[in-house]
Amino acid sequence: MASDIVAQLADSLAKTGVEDGELSYKGQGRKLDDAQSVEEIVKEIQDFEGLQALRLEGNTVGVEAAQAIAKALETKSDFKRCYWSDMFTGRLRSEIPPALNSLGDALMLAGARLTVLDLSDNAFGPDGVKGIENLLKSTACFTLQELRLNNCGMGIGGGKILAASLTHCHKKSSAEASPLSLKVFVAGRNRLENDGATALAQAFQLMGSLEEVHMPQNGINHAGITALASAMQQNKALRILNLNDNTFTEKGAIAMAQALKHLASVQVINFGDCLVRPAGAKAIAETVSEGLPILKELNLSYGEITEEAALAVAQSVKGKDKLEKLDLNGNCLGEDGCVALKDAMESLNMGEILGTLSDDEGEPEDDEDEDEDDDEEDLEDVDEEELEEEEEEEEEEEEEHSTSKFSTPVSAPRPPDVSSFLSFPSPDKLLKLGANRALLIEQQFLIIFLTVTDALLRKAYSTPSFQGCSFVSSLLVLLGLIKSEDKVKPVLVVPGHLHALEHVVQQDYFPEQSVAVLEAFMSRNNKILESCGNARITLQTTLQRVKSES
């Protein structure tokens, strides 16, 4: 009988994952719709003395279920850590804010002092940020050290709300002699763009306590990057800076290089796929050479860096005893440049630190493309100024010609219409799309591409003669994950391929068995996909989630 009790206890511990005051339901795939569905969870929360953390990742929580869980948390004054990522799968976006509000209100009522708030992979948009706005402004977050909001689709609006909330919390906590000292901030894949990034930069500069910042894939260009660089300069304890897959160009890279000169504690720099270009790479190399004594990783891959700039980067790491990895893959070195870079690293006895150069783009044909890009940047800045001046003149004219005796607000300009521009292109329409015109057009093409892909694959899978297994096998061959008996060569895989595949595997027409096959191959250590960085990781995560839900 004693052995049975021990077995039951072991089973219970394994099920809930109790550790250091933590109650875990991570990855259990529960569909929690109402109070009845969470009776067991509620009871365990109520019975858990000194509860400090609750893991709900990988379940789906409805409004009523969240309210019931919140009620149980109202008495948990020792509560510190919320691990609530990926817990609204399949829920309407309108359900998420009230669910988050209930949970946040409970923590405030309990007098909790949070250190970790993780709501990643919930895709709740700006409205979801509003759902945690009160919590972030409250005393419960005065002690917050980690804020993780990766892949939440916040957009510019959500970024601004988040920035305002953090600023409010810092000011309020400072007034009570306990200023908010956030250490870890994660907000990749949120479409923050320049305005959202700039708003957050102001909050970061105010706090000055960040040690890790992860903001990859946010559509930020040099204006937003420059704002972030200014903010990072004030965060002297910064160790990790990941801005992968944003568009620095020389302007942003040079600004960031200047900021890094003031950050001696930096260990990891990830500026991969950021288009830093030769001038930006040289500026970063100069900073690395002069400082950053404990640098461990430097990623400048896929940045259109040429041989001369890459060699400058190589020389800059001389004497960096802590360096473990230098990634310069996917640049424009050419065969001779790759050899020269490898030789340079070998001469420093650091050859093993240099990552693969298998995706090198080859030497640029000439400097015309780079000059054109520079001209486009300068033209973009001029166009913005002209557009602002035109709008101001229009507003003045409207005010002068107004027949009313009272001042009336000028109507807001119509938002950019990308579809209108693509249907009937004109220089005027292009200018009116604003500074983010390239990103807006790119996003529109992505929507069109995914729509066409969905239509083709849905039609294919509904056709009786379609061989789904052969299709997946061919896909694995083209991705380079398996070898072809017919000697078909894999394509050059870029992040866009994996983003498209991530979309496809979540559609109802894509078979469960095919998801399982892809997940099995993607889970292997495939160096061929390393260059895709976060896109590969995101696809793996999505495949695992879809597989667990099926």
Side-chain angles (χ1 to χ4, degrees), residues 3 23 39 103 112 164 173 180 349 387 416 465 478 544:
S3 61
L23 188 57
E39 284 180 349
L103 292 166
S173 57
L180 170 66
N349 294 320
L387 191 58
S465 59
L478 293 173
Q544 291 167 0

Side-chain angles (χ1 to χ4, degrees), residues 472 475-476 501 505 510 514-523 543:
V472 173
L475 186 62
L476 292 171
L501 188 54
V505 300
F510 200 76
S514 296
V515 172
V517 171
L518 284 173
E519 193 275 332
F521 279 95
M522 285 297 300
S523 62
L543 285 167

